[in-house]
PDB file of all heavy atoms in Angstrom:
ATOM      1  N   THR A 151       5.052-100.652   0.408  1.00  0.00           N
ATOM      2  CA  THR A 151       4.231 -99.931  -0.562  1.00  0.00           C
ATOM      3  C   THR A 151       5.084 -98.861  -1.237  1.00  0.00           C
ATOM      4  O   THR A 151       5.587 -97.959  -0.580  1.00  0.00           O
ATOM      5  CB  THR A 151       3.037 -99.259   0.124  1.00  0.00           C
ATOM      6  OG1 THR A 151       2.329-100.265   0.839  1.00  0.00           O
ATOM      7  CG2 THR A 151       2.128 -98.609  -0.892  1.00  0.00           C
ATOM      8  N   MET A 152       5.281 -99.007  -2.562  1.00  0.00           N
ATOM      9  CA  MET A 152       6.109 -98.030  -3.274  1.00  0.00           C
ATOM     10  C   MET A 152       5.291 -97.197  -4.245  1.00  0.00           C
ATOM     11  O   MET A 152       5.671 -96.091  -4.597  1.00  0.00           O
ATOM     12  CB  MET A 152       7.239 -98.754  -4.002  1.00  0.00           C
ATOM     13  CG  MET A 152       8.298 -99.281  -3.042  1.00  0.00           C
ATOM     14  SD  MET A 152       9.560-100.241  -3.863  1.00  0.00           S
ATOM     15  CE  MET A 152       8.721-101.790  -4.061  1.00  0.00           C
ATOM     16  N   LEU A 153       4.169 -97.771  -4.698  1.00  0.00           N
ATOM     17  CA  LEU A 153       3.346 -97.048  -5.673  1.00  0.00           C
ATOM     18  C   LEU A 153       2.445 -96.045  -4.965  1.00  0.00           C
ATOM     19  O   LEU A 153       2.278 -96.095  -3.750  1.00  0.00           O
ATOM     20  CB  LEU A 153       2.501 -98.037  -6.468  1.00  0.00           C
ATOM     21  CG  LEU A 153       3.271 -98.903  -7.451  1.00  0.00           C
ATOM     22  CD1 LEU A 153       2.332 -99.887  -8.106  1.00  0.00           C
ATOM     23  CD2 LEU A 153       3.953 -98.050  -8.494  1.00  0.00           C
ATOM     24  N   ASN A 154       1.844 -95.163  -5.771  1.00  0.00           N
ATOM     25  CA  ASN A 154       0.898 -94.179  -5.266  1.00  0.00           C
ATOM     26  C   ASN A 154       1.485 -93.342  -4.143  1.00  0.00           C
ATOM     27  O   ASN A 154       0.852 -93.096  -3.122  1.00  0.00           O
ATOM     28  CB  ASN A 154      -0.391 -94.873  -4.783  1.00  0.00           C
ATOM     29  CG  ASN A 154      -1.015 -95.670  -5.894  1.00  0.00           C
ATOM     30  OD1 ASN A 154      -0.851 -95.335  -7.063  1.00  0.00           O
ATOM     31  ND2 ASN A 154      -1.704 -96.740  -5.560  1.00  0.00           N
ATOM     32  N   SER A 155       2.726 -92.934  -4.321  1.00  0.00           N
ATOM     33  CA  SER A 155       3.381 -92.124  -3.304  1.00  0.00           C
ATOM     34  C   SER A 155       4.359 -91.184  -4.006  1.00  0.00           C
ATOM     35  O   SER A 155       4.606 -91.312  -5.203  1.00  0.00           O
ATOM     36  CB  SER A 155       4.162 -93.030  -2.358  1.00  0.00           C
ATOM     37  OG  SER A 155       5.178 -93.702  -3.081  1.00  0.00           O
ATOM     38  N   GLY A 156       4.911 -90.268  -3.228  1.00  0.00           N
ATOM     39  CA  GLY A 156       5.935 -89.389  -3.781  1.00  0.00           C
ATOM     40  C   GLY A 156       7.116 -90.190  -4.304  1.00  0.00           C
ATOM     41  O   GLY A 156       7.727 -89.827  -5.315  1.00  0.00           O
ATOM     42  N   PHE A 157       7.427 -91.293  -3.632  1.00  0.00           N
ATOM     43  CA  PHE A 157       8.527 -92.147  -4.073  1.00  0.00           C
ATOM     44  C   PHE A 157       8.258 -92.696  -5.480  1.00  0.00           C
ATOM     45  O   PHE A 157       9.124 -92.648  -6.355  1.00  0.00           O
ATOM     46  CB  PHE A 157       8.733 -93.308  -3.091  1.00  0.00           C
ATOM     47  CG  PHE A 157       9.751 -94.315  -3.540  1.00  0.00           C
ATOM     48  CD1 PHE A 157      11.110 -94.072  -3.379  1.00  0.00           C
ATOM     49  CD2 PHE A 157       9.359 -95.505  -4.145  1.00  0.00           C
ATOM     50  CE1 PHE A 157      12.054 -94.996  -3.811  1.00  0.00           C
ATOM     51  CE2 PHE A 157      10.295 -96.439  -4.583  1.00  0.00           C
ATOM     52  CZ  PHE A 157      11.646 -96.173  -4.417  1.00  0.00           C
ATOM     53  N   GLY A 158       7.037 -93.196  -5.687  1.00  0.00           N
ATOM     54  CA  GLY A 158       6.660 -93.727  -7.002  1.00  0.00           C
ATOM     55  C   GLY A 158       6.829 -92.673  -8.081  1.00  0.00           C
ATOM     56  O   GLY A 158       7.426 -92.913  -9.130  1.00  0.00           O
ATOM     57  N   ALA A 159       6.318 -91.445  -7.786  1.00  0.00           N
ATOM     58  CA  ALA A 159       6.427 -90.361  -8.760  1.00  0.00           C
ATOM     59  C   ALA A 159       7.894 -90.080  -9.074  1.00  0.00           C
ATOM     60  O   ALA A 159       8.270 -89.860 -10.232  1.00  0.00           O
ATOM     61  CB  ALA A 159       5.732 -89.115  -8.241  1.00  0.00           C
ATOM     62  N   MET A 160       8.737 -90.121  -8.036  1.00  0.00           N
ATOM     63  CA  MET A 160      10.158 -89.814  -8.229  1.00  0.00           C
ATOM     64  C   MET A 160      10.813 -90.852  -9.158  1.00  0.00           C
ATOM     65  O   MET A 160      11.652 -90.498  -9.988  1.00  0.00           O
ATOM     66  CB  MET A 160      10.853 -89.776  -6.869  1.00  0.00           C
ATOM     67  CG  MET A 160      12.151 -89.012  -6.844  1.00  0.00           C
ATOM     68  SD  MET A 160      12.011 -87.313  -7.448  1.00  0.00           S
ATOM     69  CE  MET A 160      11.044 -86.547  -6.139  1.00  0.00           C
ATOM     70  N   ILE A 161      10.425 -92.130  -9.015  1.00  0.00           N
ATOM     71  CA  ILE A 161      10.941 -93.164  -9.920  1.00  0.00           C
ATOM     72  C   ILE A 161      10.572 -92.800 -11.361  1.00  0.00           C
ATOM     73  O   ILE A 161      11.369 -92.932 -12.293  1.00  0.00           O
ATOM     74  CB  ILE A 161      10.364 -94.555  -9.561  1.00  0.00           C
ATOM     75  CG1 ILE A 161      10.875 -95.021  -8.201  1.00  0.00           C
ATOM     76  CG2 ILE A 161      10.707 -95.578 -10.633  1.00  0.00           C
ATOM     77  CD1 ILE A 161      12.313 -95.472  -8.182  1.00  0.00           C
ATOM     78  N   GLY A 162       9.352 -92.305 -11.538  1.00  0.00           N
ATOM     79  CA  GLY A 162       8.909 -91.899 -12.861  1.00  0.00           C
ATOM     80  C   GLY A 162       9.740 -90.739 -13.406  1.00  0.00           C
ATOM     81  O   GLY A 162      10.188 -90.759 -14.556  1.00  0.00           O
TER      82      GLY A 162
END
Side-chain angles (χ1 to χ4, degrees):
Chain A
T151 305
M152 288 175 281
L153 289 177
N154 302 332
S155 63
F157 174 80
M160 201 55 69
I161 293 286

